[in-house]
Amino acid sequence: MGVVSTVLLAVQMLSAVAMIGLILVQHGKGADMGAAFGSGGSGSLFGASGSANFLSRTTAVLATVFFVSTLLLAYFGSVRPAAKSNSVLENAALVVPAPVVSAPVVPASGAAQIPAK
């Protein structure tokens, strides 16, 4: 169980870092308007037409991987072993101390006895 959660945590961290990088590379909606008039078309990384499709689809895939790994980590974190219970009430019901039988205390012969009323 520890190896699976470690691998899931590594996948989650790598997808988060890659998603942050892809989001920072993408142009906003306002940059498209400036590119239409010729001010930012030559600076795009993947060309004018292919950048939105490639980057947005890759970001969507990484976001899906991130959310699935988050859900799996939450599931594996909440799984409890069924063999042993840590409940105080269940453990108290299993261990019941035996009653202690004691003999009555007899006072010494020289001691004064208090009469009962």
Side-chain angles (χ1 to χ4, degrees):
M1 192 65 96
V3 174
V4 174
S5 63
T6 304
V7 169
L8 279 173
L9 188 62
V11 167
Q12 184 184 27
M13 296 300 286
L14 289 174
S15 65
V17 169
M19 197 167 45
I20 290 170
L22 280 176
I23 289 171
L24 290 176
V25 167
Q26 291 180 20
H27 293 285
K29 298 248 183 220
D32 292 337
M33 198 57 134
F37 295 109
S39 65
S42 64
S44 69
L45 185 62
F46 296 103
S49 64
S51 65
N53 282 338
F54 175 74
L55 290 178
S56 62
R57 287 185 187 187
T58 308
T59 305
V61 168
L62 285 174
T64 304
V65 168
F66 179 79
F67 286 127
V68 168
S69 64
T70 301
L71 289 174
L72 288 174
L73 279 171
Y75 174 74
F76 288 136
S78 67
V79 171
R80 304 267 186 245
K84 183 176 175 172
S85 174
N86 291 331
S87 174
V88 175
L89 296 176
E90 289 178 9
N91 290 337
L94 297 176
V95 180
V96 178
V100 178
V101 178
S102 62
V105 178
V106 179
S109 62
Q113 293 185 3
I114 299 174
K117 292 185 181 179

